[in-house]
Amino acid sequence: MKNFDRTTFGELYAENYDAQHDPGTTNAAVALLWELAAERKTLELAIGTGRVALPLFERGLDIHGIEASEKMLSKLRAKKGGASIPVTTGDMADVRVDNNFGFIYLIFNTLFNLQSQDAQVRCFKNTAGHLIPGGMFLVETFVPDVTQFTRGQNLQTLHVDRQSAMLEATVHDPLRQTIDYQRIRITDKGIQLKPLPMRYAWPAEIDLMARLAGLHLHSRWGSWDRIPFTSESNMHISIYKKDEQ
Ligand SMILES: C[S@@+](CC[C@H](N)C(=O)[O-])C[C@H]1O[C@@H](n2cnc3c(N)ncnc32)[C@H](O)[C@@H]1O
């Protein structure tokens, strides 16, 4: 999708992010991340408005962030405690934080916001460079389901009521592994558009990106509640470990 760079997400979604982007798994995510962090210095890539980082900070975790969007960050800083979390502004694929970490995580499909394989590979390398030996990197993404596309496209109705309809139009490029989403809300006052491009990868490709960066798969689950990952799973939580040296 043209004209959608790393700050566009925030431009479009920061204002209503917390109200409109609740995956319903925040408490379970915070509980597992807290356990895995085990009091080690922690970094969230693409920290956003602090949906997950703030509850971890409130529990006493030494947590830092990377974030591309000043708009998302201003929402984080406006919250109680939000201004106390150190955040480096920049691209998680390249930016250097002046610290090393025992635990790093990248959740809510945000790896796929990096729109090329090259950028995703660089993100793994950059992350590995911030991990201490034996440190862990947790990634949460959906498992792609390309059966939903017919001749590279799909249109589905997400919601209809007396005043409005919400549609989701998608275009799929199987070579670049991209899905361009457009959510279309139609009301009698007009039409609102919510675009989002993603570059997806299956778990095996993500494992390979990790290996290229010197990380190895340590564990994988099919939910934040640690159900086993199977061929039926529609999401995964994967934890990669940096070798002890
Ligand atoms: C779906 S939100 C997730 C925010 C937060 N991690 C959460 O779970 O609520 C995606 C976030 O990624 C940020 N983002 C997108 N591309 C980025 C990049 N290349 N580097 C750093 N942050 C990026 C967006 O600004 C946005 O805050």
Side-chain angles (χ1 to χ4, degrees):
M1 188 179 283
K2 287 190 178 136
N3 303 322
F4 200 110
D5 65 23
R6 63 178 183 266
T7 61
T8 311
F9 185 98
E11 301 292 331
L12 295 174
Y13 300 112
E15 199 50 45
N16 298 309
Y17 180 81
D18 289 330
Q20 294 180 356
H21 293 79
D22 177 5
T25 52
T26 302
N27 290 343
V30 169
L32 183 58
L33 291 166
W34 168 253
E35 189 183 320
L36 294 170
E39 298 183 10
R40 290 176 295 180
K41 193 190 284 281
T42 296
L43 174 67
E44 178 170 356
L45 307 185
I47 192 170
T49 61
R51 177 181 68 87
V52 166
L54 258 179
L56 290 170
F57 174 78
E58 281 162 5
R59 287 186 182 204
L61 195 65
D62 180 1
I63 188 160
H64 298 228
I66 291 176
E67 173 55 50
S69 163
E70 284 293 343
K71 286 231 159 128
M72 294 294 279
L73 279 184
S74 68
K75 293 288 174 191
L76 167 65
R77 289 183 184 124
K79 294 179 185 173
K80 186 165 168 276
S84 304
I85 298 179
V87 180
T88 303
T89 308
D91 188 331
M92 61 187 169
D94 303 299
V95 75
R96 176 74 213 167
V97 180
D98 197 16
N99 249 308
N100 283 326
F101 300 89
F103 186 57
I104 303 181
Y105 63 92
L106 174 59
I107 57 176
F108 210 0
N109 307 313
T110 306
L111 176 66
F112 298 167
N113 286 26
L114 296 170
Q115 289 173 51
S116 68
Q117 184 191 55
D118 182 62
Q120 293 173 0
V121 167
R122 282 190 283 116
C123 182
F124 268 85
K125 284 206 166 144
N126 194 32
T127 302
H130 285 89
L131 276 177
I132 59 171
M136 306 272 203
F137 180 34
L138 179 148
V139 177
E140 176 205 12
T141 77
F142 63 80
V143 176
D145 173 16
V146 296
T147 62
Q148 63 186 290
F149 302 106
T150 307
R151 288 190 295 278
Q153 58 81 46
N154 190 41
L155 179 65
Q156 51 175 324
T157 308
L158 300 181
H159 176 83
V160 170
D161 61 28
R162 169 82 173 72
Q163 284 86 22
S164 70
M166 178 77 93
L167 311 177
E168 183 178 85
T170 42
V171 170
H172 176 223
D173 179 341
L175 292 184
R176 293 170 53 239
Q177 296 181 192
T178 55
I179 304 171
D180 286 345
Y181 295 82
Q182 185 62 268
R183 284 208 173 169
I184 306 159
R185 183 160 185 267
I186 304 170
T187 68
D188 56 4
K189 295 190 178 56
I191 296 175
Q192 289 170 307
L193 299 176
K194 298 277 186 182
L196 186 63
M198 290 201 143
R199 192 272 170 186
Y200 65 80
W202 274 276
E205 186 188 357
I206 299 175
D207 293 349
L208 204 52
M209 292 182 200
R211 287 174 64 177
L212 288 171
L215 307 176
H216 292 92
L217 185 65
H218 176 269
S219 23
R220 171 167 286 147
W221 298 299
S223 77
W224 285 107
D225 298 320
R226 283 185 265 203
I227 61 168
F229 181 77
T230 70
S231 53
E232 308 298 313
S233 298
N234 60 12
M235 62 89 79
H236 64 108
I237 289 162
S238 299
I239 301 174
Y240 300 95
K241 189 170 180 189
K242 184 166 172 169
D243 290 339
E244 307 273 357
Q245 282 156 358

